[in-house]
Amino acid sequence: MKKIIAWASLALIMVACGNKEKEYDATGTFEATEVTVSAKSTGELKYFDVAEGAEVKNGNVVGRIDAYQLQLKKEQLETTRGQLSATKRQLAASRNATDSRQLDLEKQVSSINQQIANAQRERQRFSELVKDGAVPRKQLDDINYQIKVLEKQLEATRDQIRSNNASLKEQSEGIAAQMDGIDAQAAGLEAQLRQLDDQIANTDVIAPLTGTILEKYVERGEFVATGKPLFKMADTQNMFMRAYVTSSQLQNVKVGQQVKVFADYGDGQKRSYDGTVSWISSHSEFTPKTILTDDERADLVYAMKIAIKNDGFVKIGMYGEVKF
């Protein structure tokens, strides 16, 4: 009788266990966005503050490649730029001086014209006085002579202005051509300086995201070349679990859906997180051998990603479960 009761109890326990609802709908592993940071310049790694497992923030300078030769080249280009600017100022001063001399000649013409006009008025007045016998004829002759001298000065000044105009035009065209050449050289120098600034900026090794250093491949003092991997890091704050569902489960899940995710630490130890379905594959694939699905008879499953906010306990590669 006791044996019958024992077998009956065992059967009830097995039935109860068999009817127990599964606590998850799919399983998978936790992953993170990983980035391999490579050198953007060539030279000795003068500074490298990278340690595996360390946390770094996006934009932090964690290393610096030797930029001494680039700095020297930049200084040379800046010196050349200064020389070009000085030459351009000298040409501008020369052109201004020529314009000033031409302006002085035009002022002289205006002054001589005024003197001639004054002398002509004096001649008119003395002509009346000579007719009346009030002044001697010689004073009128002196005024006429003065007018002739002024007229000759006026003509000579005008000839000089005309001659200067032709010379000034040729000189101005020459100065303009030289300035255009200087501007072209300056533009080329500016382009080279911007290129150098970019190359110098690339000697800084900058963390591209906030996360954890996974691996480092070089040490300070090593010579690195452009493209050489320096370290690998991952965004361990914003992680996701890659899980697989069968076609029959697709009707219960969609992108943007809020789900419950459990990190499995083994021996029944779990930690729950709020998750969001961020991606569902549009193509099916064969069931990976390391993945368990709700329907083990299904040969084709669909991959999906569930994003979570990590509190520091979830690690890359850890197993997890998801409940829709």
Side-chain angles (χ1 to χ4, degrees):
M1 185 65 181
K2 291 182 179 180
K3 289 185 178 181
I4 295 174
I5 294 174
W7 280 107
S9 300
L10 181 60
L12 288 173
I13 293 173
M14 292 179 65
V15 170
C17 292
N19 292 334
K20 185 179 179 180
E21 184 181 355
K22 294 175 63 175
E23 296 180 353
Y24 58 88
D25 294 306
T27 62
T29 56
F30 288 98
E31 300 178 2
T33 300
E34 298 182 3
V35 177
T36 299
V37 179
S38 300
K40 294 182 179 180
S41 183
T42 297
E44 182 183 347
L45 195 57
K46 291 288 190 179
Y47 165 71
F48 196 52
D49 185 18
V50 171
E52 294 179 352
E55 299 289 330
V56 295
K57 292 185 177 180
N58 181 21
N60 280 6
V61 177
V62 297
R64 184 167 290 114
I65 300 170
D66 184 19
Y68 181 68
Q69 294 300 323
L70 293 175
Q71 290 286 0
L72 285 180
K73 189 174 181 180
K74 182 180 179 180
E75 291 175 6
Q76 292 174 353
L77 290 178
E78 288 176 338
T79 300
T80 303
R81 181 175 61 181
Q83 292 172 347
L84 289 176
S85 297
T87 302
K88 189 174 181 179
R89 288 194 297 270
Q90 291 174 357
L91 289 172
S94 175
R95 182 172 60 185
N96 292 337
T98 303
D99 292 341
S100 179
R101 288 193 298 270
Q102 194 74 349
L103 182 61
D104 289 341
L105 289 174
E106 292 175 355
K107 289 180 179 179
Q108 289 181 32
V109 168
S110 178
S111 176
I112 293 172
N113 278 327
Q114 185 62 45
Q115 293 178 52
I116 291 174
N118 293 338
Q120 287 174 342
R121 285 194 295 271
E122 285 294 305
R123 182 174 62 182
Q124 181 65 31
R125 186 170 66 84
F126 272 87
S127 295
E128 297 295 332
L129 293 174
V130 169
K131 287 180 181 180
D132 295 338
V135 296
R137 177 78 185 181
K138 184 178 183 306
Q139 291 188 13
L140 181 60
D141 292 340
D142 289 343
I143 292 174
N144 286 330
Y145 178 76
Q146 182 183 4
I147 291 174
K148 289 180 180 179
V149 171
L150 289 172
E151 287 175 343
K152 288 182 179 179
Q153 288 180 0
L154 178 62
E155 186 61 28
T157 305
R158 284 175 173 169
D159 287 342
Q160 187 175 358
I161 289 176
R162 285 191 290 269
S163 176
N164 284 354
N165 281 338
S167 175
L168 181 61
K169 181 180 180 182
E170 182 178 352
Q171 183 179 1
S172 180
E173 290 175 352
I175 290 176
Q178 292 182 64
M179 284 188 168
D180 288 342
I182 290 175
D183 288 340
Q185 293 182 58
L189 281 177
E190 291 297 334
Q192 293 182 59
L193 283 168
R194 288 194 297 271
Q195 185 180 33
L196 273 176
D197 285 338
D198 183 63
Q199 292 175 354
I200 291 172
N202 284 338
T203 60
D204 286 341
V205 181
I206 300 175
L209 50 83
T210 297
T212 305
I213 304 297
L214 301 180
E215 297 179 64
K216 61 183 292 189
Y217 307 119
V218 296
E219 297 290 344
R220 187 181 66 178
E222 289 188 34
F223 186 89
V224 298
T226 301
K228 180 179 177 62
L230 303 178
F231 64 93
K232 180 192 288 186
M233 65 177 300
D235 181 2
T236 52
Q237 293 184 0
N238 301 290
M239 297 184 65
F240 58 91
M241 188 180 78
R242 182 183 293 271
Y244 293 84
V245 294
T246 63
S247 57
S248 62
Q249 290 177 302
L250 285 177
Q251 61 182 340
N252 299 322
V253 63
K254 63 180 180 178
V255 174
Q257 180 177 336
Q258 300 297 310
V259 298
K260 206 67 176 178
V261 176
F262 302 91
D264 189 351
Y265 294 89
D267 294 331
Q269 301 296 318
K270 296 181 181 181
R271 197 177 186 91
S272 66
Y273 298 89
D274 293 326
T276 303
V277 178
S278 59
W279 171 79
I280 300 175
S281 175
S282 58
H283 301 285
S284 62
E285 54 187 288
F286 286 102
T287 308
K289 294 181 180 180
T290 58
I291 301 298
L292 298 177
T293 66
D294 190 49
D295 186 358
E296 295 181 358
R297 295 171 300 174
D299 292 327
L300 296 176
V301 293
Y302 293 83
M304 62 184 298
K305 290 182 180 180
I306 302 159
I308 68 163
K309 195 72 175 179
N310 189 12
D311 56 1
F313 290 96
V314 178
K315 306 300 180 182
I316 297 174
M318 182 181 290
Y319 283 97
E321 302 166 352
V322 56
K323 184 71 175 177
F324 300 140

